[in-house]
Amino acid sequence: MRLDDERESTNIDDERGSGGGGGGRGPLKVGIGGILLALGALYFGVDPKIVFSLLEGSASSGNQTTVVAQQPAQGPDPQKQFIARILASTEDVWTSYFQQMGRTYHQPRLVLFTGGTQSACGYAQTSVGPFYCPADHKVYLDLAFFQELKNRLGAGGDFARAYVVAHEVGHHVQNELGIMERLDRQGGGMSERGATGASVRTELQADCFAGVWAKRANDARSILQSGDVQEGLNAASAVGDDRLEKQGQGYVVPDSFTHGTSAQRVNWFSRGLQTGDIRQCDTFNAPAL
């Protein structure tokens, strides 16, 4: 990605090295099954409360692996700079888009943490993955998670990381548009699972919004290079419910889906990337996902 000359967002709270609300220092040990469960249930998710409780049990299970949280480097921090530039790009794109709609876009904050930190949605841990908390309008991210994305899920590259941030910001856009509030009023909140449930439709729409950002950012600033789009598509495919369940437990249970299949995630991300139009991202009225 071409980002060297792009501005960096100031809407970042760097809590790395602060102790993470009592649990941020040192490695976090959780069961392998717990990591895969977290990836499947909450990767790019909205509300981490359910997985947090599940991980408390998995941390005492037999097969253990260690997720070592990265400490911030001394001097320039290329990863933080990259995230700050991606966040700034989303701010520019969505501010402009909302202005075209006659609305005001309120920019989210992004919290960088190490190991664990407290959010308005519960206690965030590295193993849970990045998430957006609608209660405080913040995206939470431990940069060590990108190691998991690359090494465990096989989805490396700059645009794969950008897709993670853009998807979480996509949830903030949903919040700004009143979509989450409307779902809650209708009784179709994030807990509604299944292959065609509200949770899957919410996640696929955030994928589409991520594609909309990429399309509009590239049209405005030519930030994409050869191979970037494929990196994003690989990331979308890597976090499909079917792929994660197959990897974690050896079989697929569509009734437990929360985010959509690999094919669906690629399809909706691609739709946003091709059109740059949020009107093409109406997963809630789509007859087929």
Side-chain angles (χ1 to χ4, degrees):
M1 298 184 71
R2 296 187 181 93
L3 297 173
D4 290 344
D5 296 328
E6 301 301 307
R7 74 174 182 90
E8 297 179 16
S9 173
T10 58
N11 289 317
I12 292 183
D13 300 324
D14 194 344
E15 298 182 358
R16 294 173 298 170
S18 66
R25 299 186 186 276
L28 170 69
K29 292 186 176 181
V30 297
I32 292 175
I35 289 179
L36 291 174
L37 174 63
L39 290 172
L42 223 164
Y43 197 88
F44 301 163
V46 175
D47 189 348
K49 294 178 181 177
I50 297 175
V51 179
F52 290 158
S53 63
L54 292 171
L55 283 175
E56 289 177 358
S58 69
S60 60
S61 62
N63 293 327
Q64 300 267 320
T65 188
T66 300
V67 179
V68 180
Q70 294 177 326
Q71 296 297 326
Q74 298 297 321
D77 186 341
Q79 284 205 81
K80 181 180 177 181
Q81 290 176 332
F82 176 83
I83 297 302
R85 289 167 181 166
I86 293 298
L87 184 61
S89 178
T90 67
E91 292 166 355
D92 294 342
V93 165
W94 290 116
T95 295
S96 175
Y97 205 137
F98 271 56
Q99 287 175 346
Q100 293 174 21
M101 295 187 292
R103 306 178 62 133
T104 300
Y105 178 67
H106 303 94
Q107 300 171 356
R109 297 196 68 81
L110 188 149
V111 179
L112 294 176
F113 68 93
T114 297
T117 193
Q118 190 66 42
S119 80
C121 294
Y123 189 73
Q125 292 181 325
T126 301
S127 55
V128 172
F131 69 93
Y132 172 70
C133 177
D136 57 17
H137 309 282
K138 293 180 180 180
V139 172
Y140 290 84
L141 172 65
D142 188 328
L143 295 177
F145 188 79
F146 290 130
Q147 294 180 7
E148 296 294 307
L149 181 65
K150 178 181 178 181
N151 299 332
R152 188 178 298 277
L153 299 179
D158 286 350
F159 196 55
R161 290 183 291 155
Y163 164 64
V164 172
V165 176
H167 175 101
E168 298 308 332
V169 172
H171 284 308
H172 178 69
V173 173
Q174 290 173 319
N175 206 18
E176 287 283 281
L177 293 174
I179 294 172
M180 291 182 176
E181 181 181 1
R182 185 163 63 250
L183 284 173
D184 287 339
R185 287 200 309 266
Q186 294 172 350
M190 301 306 104
S191 62
E192 184 180 335
R193 297 192 175 197
T196 60
S199 178
V200 166
R201 293 178 185 273
T202 301
E203 297 300 327
L204 294 179
Q205 185 177 65
D207 282 334
C208 190
F209 285 176
V212 169
W213 158 75
K215 164 70 171 172
R216 288 179 168 252
N218 190 57
D219 286 349
R221 306 286 294 179
S222 298
I223 63 172
L224 297 182
Q225 296 175 297
S226 176
D228 282 340
V229 170
Q230 190 57 52
E231 289 176 359
L233 296 176
N234 287 344
S237 177
V239 293
D241 283 324
D242 53 342
R243 179 169 173 178
L244 289 170
E245 288 189 353
K246 186 71 173 178
Q247 180 183 359
Q249 61 193 20
Y251 56 92
V252 176
V253 183
D255 286 345
S256 69
F257 285 0
T258 57
H259 289 63
T261 66
S262 293
Q264 288 171 333
R265 301 202 72 167
V266 167
N267 175 58
W268 284 97
F269 176 64
S270 297
R271 184 177 300 198
L273 187 59
Q274 292 165 2
T275 66
D277 184 357
I278 63 172
R279 293 173 297 181
Q280 304 303 315
C281 298
D282 187 3
T283 56
F284 296 97
N285 291 309
L289 296 174

